[in-house]
Amino acid sequence: MTAKVLFTGKTHNTGGREGGTRSSDGQLDLKFAQPHPAAENLFGAAWSACYIGALELAAAQKKITLPTLPTVDTEIDLVLDSGSYFLRARLSVGLPGIDREVAQTLVDAAHGICPYSKATHGNIEIQTNLL
């Protein structure tokens, strides 16, 4: 089976005092004077948006109706240790109205579905908290 590209996100970034990023479709157009903390905020926003979709897909696959929309608060740390930079992440997931054990099952399943979770698995420290 041949992989099918579903979407390609294209952005153009510039640095300096007039720095920013713009997507080719115009949906994203942000200004920032320096790449940090903008990069961590953008990464967190993209990951949490993807993760919500993964939670919804996991619920659908398990035939679970979500009584309310899921929420994800993401914190991305830029860490410097011994001259080396790396990232660390915390995802706080809200699934109100769902039994805690069932919600944890969905949270675990979402990490196996979300491309951002797959990309970071084993590469950065990730802590997931069920609210």
Side-chain angles (χ1 to χ4, degrees), residues 39-41 43-44 47 73-81 84-91 120 123-128:
E40 288 74 26
N41 289 336
F43 183 62
W47 189 354
D73 295 321
T74 305
E75 298 173 81
I76 306 295
D77 298 327
L78 175 63
V79 181
L80 175 61
D81 185 20
S84 180
Y85 294 95
F86 62 93
L87 299 175
R88 183 171 52 208
R90 287 174 304 288
L91 284 72
T120 57
N123 296 316
I124 69 171
E125 180 186 326
I126 303 167
Q127 179 183 357
T128 307

PDB file of all heavy atoms in Angstrom, residues 39-41 43-44 47 73-81 84-91 120 123-128:
ATOM      1  N   ALA A  39       8.354  29.734  19.146  1.00  0.00           N
ATOM      2  CA  ALA A  39       8.471  28.383  18.606  1.00  0.00           C
ATOM      3  C   ALA A  39       7.830  27.351  19.529  1.00  0.00           C
ATOM      4  O   ALA A  39       7.098  26.465  19.079  1.00  0.00           O
ATOM      5  CB  ALA A  39       9.935  28.034  18.357  1.00  0.00           C
ATOM      6  N   GLU A  40       8.077  27.488  20.829  1.00  0.00           N
ATOM      7  CA  GLU A  40       7.488  26.545  21.784  1.00  0.00           C
ATOM      8  C   GLU A  40       5.967  26.710  21.847  1.00  0.00           C
ATOM      9  O   GLU A  40       5.233  25.725  21.939  1.00  0.00           O
ATOM     10  CB  GLU A  40       8.115  26.736  23.168  1.00  0.00           C
ATOM     11  CG  GLU A  40       9.545  26.238  23.266  1.00  0.00           C
ATOM     12  CD  GLU A  40      10.554  27.129  22.561  1.00  0.00           C
ATOM     13  OE1 GLU A  40      10.298  28.344  22.409  1.00  0.00           O
ATOM     14  OE2 GLU A  40      11.596  26.612  22.153  1.00  0.00           O
ATOM     15  N   ASN A  41       5.492  27.948  21.785  1.00  0.00           N
ATOM     16  CA  ASN A  41       4.040  28.184  21.787  1.00  0.00           C
ATOM     17  C   ASN A  41       3.381  27.615  20.538  1.00  0.00           C
ATOM     18  O   ASN A  41       2.322  26.989  20.611  1.00  0.00           O
ATOM     19  CB  ASN A  41       3.736  29.683  21.896  1.00  0.00           C
ATOM     20  CG  ASN A  41       4.045  30.231  23.264  1.00  0.00           C
ATOM     21  OD1 ASN A  41       4.061  29.509  24.256  1.00  0.00           O
ATOM     22  ND2 ASN A  41       4.294  31.530  23.330  1.00  0.00           N
ATOM     23  N   PHE A  43       4.531  25.171  18.639  1.00  0.00           N
ATOM     24  CA  PHE A  43       4.606  23.712  18.718  1.00  0.00           C
ATOM     25  C   PHE A  43       3.521  23.172  19.642  1.00  0.00           C
ATOM     26  O   PHE A  43       2.826  22.209  19.312  1.00  0.00           O
ATOM     27  CB  PHE A  43       6.001  23.284  19.189  1.00  0.00           C
ATOM     28  CG  PHE A  43       6.200  21.796  19.222  1.00  0.00           C
ATOM     29  CD1 PHE A  43       6.120  21.046  18.062  1.00  0.00           C
ATOM     30  CD2 PHE A  43       6.484  21.153  20.412  1.00  0.00           C
ATOM     31  CE1 PHE A  43       6.304  19.669  18.093  1.00  0.00           C
ATOM     32  CE2 PHE A  43       6.672  19.785  20.453  1.00  0.00           C
ATOM     33  CZ  PHE A  43       6.585  19.037  19.284  1.00  0.00           C
ATOM     34  N   GLY A  44       3.361  23.810  20.805  1.00  0.00           N
ATOM     35  CA  GLY A  44       2.333  23.391  21.749  1.00  0.00           C
ATOM     36  C   GLY A  44       0.931  23.526  21.172  1.00  0.00           C
ATOM     37  O   GLY A  44       0.089  22.643  21.348  1.00  0.00           O
ATOM     38  N   TRP A  47       0.491  20.768  18.460  1.00  0.00           N
ATOM     39  CA  TRP A  47       0.406  19.438  19.069  1.00  0.00           C
ATOM     40  C   TRP A  47      -0.948  19.254  19.750  1.00  0.00           C
ATOM     41  O   TRP A  47      -1.609  18.241  19.567  1.00  0.00           O
ATOM     42  CB  TRP A  47       1.542  19.253  20.056  1.00  0.00           C
ATOM     43  CG  TRP A  47       1.724  17.866  20.606  1.00  0.00           C
ATOM     44  CD1 TRP A  47       0.921  16.765  20.420  1.00  0.00           C
ATOM     45  CD2 TRP A  47       2.802  17.426  21.429  1.00  0.00           C
ATOM     46  NE1 TRP A  47       1.429  15.672  21.094  1.00  0.00           N
ATOM     47  CE2 TRP A  47       2.594  16.061  21.718  1.00  0.00           C
ATOM     48  CE3 TRP A  47       3.917  18.063  21.953  1.00  0.00           C
ATOM     49  CZ2 TRP A  47       3.465  15.327  22.502  1.00  0.00           C
ATOM     50  CZ3 TRP A  47       4.782  17.333  22.739  1.00  0.00           C
ATOM     51  CH2 TRP A  47       4.562  15.974  23.009  1.00  0.00           C
ATOM     52  N   ASP A  73      -4.341  21.441  27.416  1.00  0.00           N
ATOM     53  CA  ASP A  73      -3.428  22.532  27.735  1.00  0.00           C
ATOM     54  C   ASP A  73      -2.022  21.957  27.620  1.00  0.00           C
ATOM     55  O   ASP A  73      -1.694  20.963  28.274  1.00  0.00           O
ATOM     56  CB  ASP A  73      -3.656  23.050  29.156  1.00  0.00           C
ATOM     57  CG  ASP A  73      -5.018  23.695  29.320  1.00  0.00           C
ATOM     58  OD1 ASP A  73      -5.462  24.396  28.396  1.00  0.00           O
ATOM     59  OD2 ASP A  73      -5.646  23.491  30.369  1.00  0.00           O
ATOM     60  N   THR A  74      -1.213  22.576  26.768  1.00  0.00           N
ATOM     61  CA  THR A  74       0.122  22.054  26.507  1.00  0.00           C
ATOM     62  C   THR A  74       1.182  23.046  26.968  1.00  0.00           C
ATOM     63  O   THR A  74       1.070  24.239  26.702  1.00  0.00           O
ATOM     64  CB  THR A  74       0.299  21.772  24.995  1.00  0.00           C
ATOM     65  OG1 THR A  74      -0.741  20.906  24.566  1.00  0.00           O
ATOM     66  CG2 THR A  74       1.637  21.121  24.713  1.00  0.00           C
ATOM     67  N   GLU A  75       2.172  22.538  27.657  1.00  0.00           N
ATOM     68  CA  GLU A  75       3.326  23.334  28.074  1.00  0.00           C
ATOM     69  C   GLU A  75       4.571  22.713  27.454  1.00  0.00           C
ATOM     70  O   GLU A  75       4.817  21.521  27.622  1.00  0.00           O
ATOM     71  CB  GLU A  75       3.461  23.339  29.590  1.00  0.00           C
ATOM     72  CG  GLU A  75       2.276  23.970  30.308  1.00  0.00           C
ATOM     73  CD  GLU A  75       2.382  23.810  31.808  1.00  0.00           C
ATOM     74  OE1 GLU A  75       3.118  24.604  32.431  1.00  0.00           O
ATOM     75  OE2 GLU A  75       1.741  22.875  32.326  1.00  0.00           O
ATOM     76  N   ILE A  76       5.319  23.526  26.723  1.00  0.00           N
ATOM     77  CA  ILE A  76       6.559  23.067  26.101  1.00  0.00           C
ATOM     78  C   ILE A  76       7.706  23.834  26.745  1.00  0.00           C
ATOM     79  O   ILE A  76       7.751  25.065  26.681  1.00  0.00           O
ATOM     80  CB  ILE A  76       6.558  23.325  24.572  1.00  0.00           C
ATOM     81  CG1 ILE A  76       5.322  22.713  23.896  1.00  0.00           C
ATOM     82  CG2 ILE A  76       7.872  22.818  23.949  1.00  0.00           C
ATOM     83  CD1 ILE A  76       5.244  21.206  23.934  1.00  0.00           C
ATOM     84  N   ASP A  77       8.614  23.128  27.376  1.00  0.00           N
ATOM     85  CA  ASP A  77       9.783  23.744  28.001  1.00  0.00           C
ATOM     86  C   ASP A  77      10.964  23.663  27.045  1.00  0.00           C
ATOM     87  O   ASP A  77      11.232  22.597  26.473  1.00  0.00           O
ATOM     88  CB  ASP A  77      10.195  22.992  29.274  1.00  0.00           C
ATOM     89  CG  ASP A  77       9.130  23.002  30.355  1.00  0.00           C
ATOM     90  OD1 ASP A  77       8.395  24.009  30.449  1.00  0.00           O
ATOM     91  OD2 ASP A  77       9.046  22.012  31.099  1.00  0.00           O
ATOM     92  N   LEU A  78      11.665  24.772  26.886  1.00  0.00           N
ATOM     93  CA  LEU A  78      12.966  24.770  26.233  1.00  0.00           C
ATOM     94  C   LEU A  78      13.982  24.706  27.359  1.00  0.00           C
ATOM     95  O   LEU A  78      14.006  25.583  28.229  1.00  0.00           O
ATOM     96  CB  LEU A  78      13.166  26.032  25.395  1.00  0.00           C
ATOM     97  CG  LEU A  78      14.548  26.191  24.766  1.00  0.00           C
ATOM     98  CD1 LEU A  78      14.838  25.060  23.783  1.00  0.00           C
ATOM     99  CD2 LEU A  78      14.671  27.546  24.099  1.00  0.00           C
ATOM    100  N   VAL A  79      14.811  23.677  27.377  1.00  0.00           N
ATOM    101  CA  VAL A  79      15.723  23.409  28.481  1.00  0.00           C
ATOM    102  C   VAL A  79      17.159  23.465  27.971  1.00  0.00           C
ATOM    103  O   VAL A  79      17.460  22.996  26.872  1.00  0.00           O
ATOM    104  CB  VAL A  79      15.434  22.020  29.098  1.00  0.00           C
ATOM    105  CG1 VAL A  79      16.352  21.722  30.255  1.00  0.00           C
ATOM    106  CG2 VAL A  79      13.969  21.912  29.508  1.00  0.00           C
ATOM    107  N   LEU A  80      18.023  24.048  28.774  1.00  0.00           N
ATOM    108  CA  LEU A  80      19.458  24.061  28.493  1.00  0.00           C
ATOM    109  C   LEU A  80      20.154  23.292  29.603  1.00  0.00           C
ATOM    110  O   LEU A  80      19.992  23.599  30.784  1.00  0.00           O
ATOM    111  CB  LEU A  80      19.983  25.505  28.446  1.00  0.00           C
ATOM    112  CG  LEU A  80      21.492  25.687  28.276  1.00  0.00           C
ATOM    113  CD1 LEU A  80      21.975  25.075  26.960  1.00  0.00           C
ATOM    114  CD2 LEU A  80      21.846  27.166  28.351  1.00  0.00           C
ATOM    115  N   ASP A  81      20.895  22.256  29.227  1.00  0.00           N
ATOM    116  CA  ASP A  81      21.617  21.449  30.196  1.00  0.00           C
ATOM    117  C   ASP A  81      22.986  21.104  29.624  1.00  0.00           C
ATOM    118  O   ASP A  81      23.067  20.504  28.543  1.00  0.00           O
ATOM    119  CB  ASP A  81      20.827  20.177  30.509  1.00  0.00           C
ATOM    120  CG  ASP A  81      21.449  19.337  31.614  1.00  0.00           C
ATOM    121  OD1 ASP A  81      22.261  19.874  32.398  1.00  0.00           O
ATOM    122  OD2 ASP A  81      21.126  18.135  31.692  1.00  0.00           O
ATOM    123  N   SER A  84      23.597  21.958  26.021  1.00  0.00           N
ATOM    124  CA  SER A  84      22.739  21.334  25.015  1.00  0.00           C
ATOM    125  C   SER A  84      21.280  21.750  25.238  1.00  0.00           C
ATOM    126  O   SER A  84      20.793  21.757  26.366  1.00  0.00           O
ATOM    127  CB  SER A  84      22.873  19.809  25.112  1.00  0.00           C
ATOM    128  OG  SER A  84      22.059  19.179  24.155  1.00  0.00           O
ATOM    129  N   TYR A  85      20.583  22.062  24.149  1.00  0.00           N
ATOM    130  CA  TYR A  85      19.172  22.443  24.221  1.00  0.00           C
ATOM    131  C   TYR A  85      18.292  21.240  23.930  1.00  0.00           C
ATOM    132  O   TYR A  85      18.613  20.411  23.075  1.00  0.00           O
ATOM    133  CB  TYR A  85      18.863  23.529  23.179  1.00  0.00           C
ATOM    134  CG  TYR A  85      19.557  24.828  23.435  1.00  0.00           C
ATOM    135  CD1 TYR A  85      20.768  25.118  22.812  1.00  0.00           C
ATOM    136  CD2 TYR A  85      19.012  25.770  24.291  1.00  0.00           C
ATOM    137  CE1 TYR A  85      21.419  26.318  23.040  1.00  0.00           C
ATOM    138  CE2 TYR A  85      19.650  26.976  24.526  1.00  0.00           C
ATOM    139  CZ  TYR A  85      20.852  27.249  23.894  1.00  0.00           C
ATOM    140  OH  TYR A  85      21.480  28.433  24.126  1.00  0.00           O
ATOM    141  N   PHE A  86      17.185  21.158  24.650  1.00  0.00           N
ATOM    142  CA  PHE A  86      16.202  20.121  24.357  1.00  0.00           C
ATOM    143  C   PHE A  86      14.837  20.579  24.830  1.00  0.00           C
ATOM    144  O   PHE A  86      14.692  21.572  25.534  1.00  0.00           O
ATOM    145  CB  PHE A  86      16.599  18.764  24.974  1.00  0.00           C
ATOM    146  CG  PHE A  86      16.698  18.770  26.479  1.00  0.00           C
ATOM    147  CD1 PHE A  86      15.604  18.406  27.257  1.00  0.00           C
ATOM    148  CD2 PHE A  86      17.882  19.105  27.116  1.00  0.00           C
ATOM    149  CE1 PHE A  86      15.698  18.395  28.642  1.00  0.00           C
ATOM    150  CE2 PHE A  86      17.976  19.094  28.493  1.00  0.00           C
ATOM    151  CZ  PHE A  86      16.879  18.745  29.261  1.00  0.00           C
ATOM    152  N   LEU A  87      13.807  19.851  24.423  1.00  0.00           N
ATOM    153  CA  LEU A  87      12.424  20.158  24.780  1.00  0.00           C
ATOM    154  C   LEU A  87      11.888  19.150  25.785  1.00  0.00           C
ATOM    155  O   LEU A  87      12.330  17.995  25.817  1.00  0.00           O
ATOM    156  CB  LEU A  87      11.521  20.136  23.537  1.00  0.00           C
ATOM    157  CG  LEU A  87      11.852  21.130  22.441  1.00  0.00           C
ATOM    158  CD1 LEU A  87      10.937  20.903  21.236  1.00  0.00           C
ATOM    159  CD2 LEU A  87      11.745  22.559  22.938  1.00  0.00           C
ATOM    160  N   ARG A  88      10.918  19.607  26.547  1.00  0.00           N
ATOM    161  CA  ARG A  88      10.180  18.761  27.490  1.00  0.00           C
ATOM    162  C   ARG A  88       8.727  19.224  27.399  1.00  0.00           C
ATOM    163  O   ARG A  88       8.463  20.407  27.214  1.00  0.00           O
ATOM    164  CB  ARG A  88      10.754  18.972  28.884  1.00  0.00           C
ATOM    165  CG  ARG A  88      10.158  18.129  29.960  1.00  0.00           C
ATOM    166  CD  ARG A  88      10.925  18.250  31.263  1.00  0.00           C
ATOM    167  NE  ARG A  88      11.085  19.645  31.650  1.00  0.00           N
ATOM    168  CZ  ARG A  88      12.102  20.107  32.373  1.00  0.00           C
ATOM    169  NH1 ARG A  88      13.049  19.303  32.794  1.00  0.00           N
ATOM    170  NH2 ARG A  88      12.168  21.371  32.703  1.00  0.00           N
ATOM    171  N   ALA A  89       7.759  18.295  27.518  1.00  0.00           N
ATOM    172  CA  ALA A  89       6.357  18.654  27.318  1.00  0.00           C
ATOM    173  C   ALA A  89       5.449  18.091  28.395  1.00  0.00           C
ATOM    174  O   ALA A  89       5.696  17.014  28.933  1.00  0.00           O
ATOM    175  CB  ALA A  89       5.887  18.140  25.954  1.00  0.00           C
ATOM    176  N   ARG A  90       4.396  18.863  28.679  1.00  0.00           N
ATOM    177  CA  ARG A  90       3.313  18.427  29.563  1.00  0.00           C
ATOM    178  C   ARG A  90       1.995  18.696  28.844  1.00  0.00           C
ATOM    179  O   ARG A  90       1.746  19.818  28.395  1.00  0.00           O
ATOM    180  CB  ARG A  90       3.363  19.177  30.896  1.00  0.00           C
ATOM    181  CG  ARG A  90       4.504  18.739  31.786  1.00  0.00           C
ATOM    182  CD  ARG A  90       4.637  19.584  33.037  1.00  0.00           C
ATOM    183  NE  ARG A  90       4.794  21.017  32.784  1.00  0.00           N
ATOM    184  CZ  ARG A  90       5.899  21.589  32.295  1.00  0.00           C
ATOM    185  NH1 ARG A  90       6.953  20.857  31.986  1.00  0.00           N
ATOM    186  NH2 ARG A  90       5.966  22.905  32.123  1.00  0.00           N
ATOM    187  N   LEU A  91       1.163  17.673  28.759  1.00  0.00           N
ATOM    188  CA  LEU A  91      -0.174  17.799  28.187  1.00  0.00           C
ATOM    189  C   LEU A  91      -1.177  17.533  29.297  1.00  0.00           C
ATOM    190  O   LEU A  91      -1.141  16.466  29.914  1.00  0.00           O
ATOM    191  CB  LEU A  91      -0.395  16.794  27.051  1.00  0.00           C
ATOM    192  CG  LEU A  91       0.263  17.104  25.705  1.00  0.00           C
ATOM    193  CD1 LEU A  91       1.754  16.900  25.765  1.00  0.00           C
ATOM    194  CD2 LEU A  91      -0.344  16.239  24.623  1.00  0.00           C
ATOM    195  N   THR A 120       7.389  12.663  18.692  1.00  0.00           N
ATOM    196  CA  THR A 120       8.164  12.997  19.890  1.00  0.00           C
ATOM    197  C   THR A 120       8.428  11.794  20.782  1.00  0.00           C
ATOM    198  O   THR A 120       9.281  11.862  21.657  1.00  0.00           O
ATOM    199  CB  THR A 120       7.440  14.085  20.711  1.00  0.00           C
ATOM    200  OG1 THR A 120       6.126  13.621  21.042  1.00  0.00           O
ATOM    201  CG2 THR A 120       7.361  15.392  19.939  1.00  0.00           C
ATOM    202  N   ASN A 123      11.811  10.758  22.105  1.00  0.00           N
ATOM    203  CA  ASN A 123      12.745  11.828  21.790  1.00  0.00           C
ATOM    204  C   ASN A 123      12.774  12.921  22.849  1.00  0.00           C
ATOM    205  O   ASN A 123      13.794  13.585  23.005  1.00  0.00           O
ATOM    206  CB  ASN A 123      12.398  12.467  20.441  1.00  0.00           C
ATOM    207  CG  ASN A 123      12.554  11.499  19.303  1.00  0.00           C
ATOM    208  OD1 ASN A 123      13.523  10.767  19.235  1.00  0.00           O
ATOM    209  ND2 ASN A 123      11.592  11.477  18.411  1.00  0.00           N
ATOM    210  N   ILE A 124      11.631  13.139  23.502  1.00  0.00           N
ATOM    211  CA  ILE A 124      11.567  14.144  24.565  1.00  0.00           C
ATOM    212  C   ILE A 124      10.764  13.575  25.728  1.00  0.00           C
ATOM    213  O   ILE A 124       9.970  12.641  25.558  1.00  0.00           O
ATOM    214  CB  ILE A 124      10.946  15.481  24.099  1.00  0.00           C
ATOM    215  CG1 ILE A 124       9.452  15.340  23.798  1.00  0.00           C
ATOM    216  CG2 ILE A 124      11.687  16.057  22.909  1.00  0.00           C
ATOM    217  CD1 ILE A 124       8.744  16.664  23.538  1.00  0.00           C
ATOM    218  N   GLU A 125      10.973  14.159  26.896  1.00  0.00           N
ATOM    219  CA  GLU A 125      10.196  13.764  28.073  1.00  0.00           C
ATOM    220  C   GLU A 125       8.778  14.327  27.921  1.00  0.00           C
ATOM    221  O   GLU A 125       8.604  15.520  27.675  1.00  0.00           O
ATOM    222  CB  GLU A 125      10.852  14.328  29.318  1.00  0.00           C
ATOM    223  CG  GLU A 125      10.137  13.992  30.605  1.00  0.00           C
ATOM    224  CD  GLU A 125      10.765  14.702  31.798  1.00  0.00           C
ATOM    225  OE1 GLU A 125      11.997  14.887  31.802  1.00  0.00           O
ATOM    226  OE2 GLU A 125      10.004  15.066  32.708  1.00  0.00           O
ATOM    227  N   ILE A 126       7.788  13.457  28.040  1.00  0.00           N
ATOM    228  CA  ILE A 126       6.381  13.852  27.910  1.00  0.00           C
ATOM    229  C   ILE A 126       5.626  13.391  29.147  1.00  0.00           C
ATOM    230  O   ILE A 126       5.679  12.224  29.509  1.00  0.00           O
ATOM    231  CB  ILE A 126       5.711  13.225  26.668  1.00  0.00           C
ATOM    232  CG1 ILE A 126       6.470  13.591  25.403  1.00  0.00           C
ATOM    233  CG2 ILE A 126       4.243  13.648  26.572  1.00  0.00           C
ATOM    234  CD1 ILE A 126       6.067  12.766  24.196  1.00  0.00           C
ATOM    235  N   GLN A 127       4.925  14.316  29.764  1.00  0.00           N
ATOM    236  CA  GLN A 127       4.070  13.997  30.900  1.00  0.00           C
ATOM    237  C   GLN A 127       2.635  14.308  30.491  1.00  0.00           C
ATOM    238  O   GLN A 127       2.351  15.410  30.016  1.00  0.00           O
ATOM    239  CB  GLN A 127       4.464  14.827  32.112  1.00  0.00           C
ATOM    240  CG  GLN A 127       3.617  14.569  33.337  1.00  0.00           C
ATOM    241  CD  GLN A 127       4.020  15.498  34.482  1.00  0.00           C
ATOM    242  OE1 GLN A 127       4.955  16.285  34.380  1.00  0.00           O
ATOM    243  NE2 GLN A 127       3.289  15.407  35.558  1.00  0.00           N
ATOM    244  N   THR A 128       1.751  13.352  30.635  1.00  0.00           N
ATOM    245  CA  THR A 128       0.333  13.572  30.328  1.00  0.00           C
ATOM    246  C   THR A 128      -0.478  13.478  31.612  1.00  0.00           C
ATOM    247  O   THR A 128      -0.357  12.500  32.355  1.00  0.00           O
ATOM    248  CB  THR A 128      -0.175  12.515  29.313  1.00  0.00           C
ATOM    249  OG1 THR A 128       0.703  12.512  28.176  1.00  0.00           O
ATOM    250  CG2 THR A 128      -1.572  12.843  28.853  1.00  0.00           C
TER     251      THR A 128
END
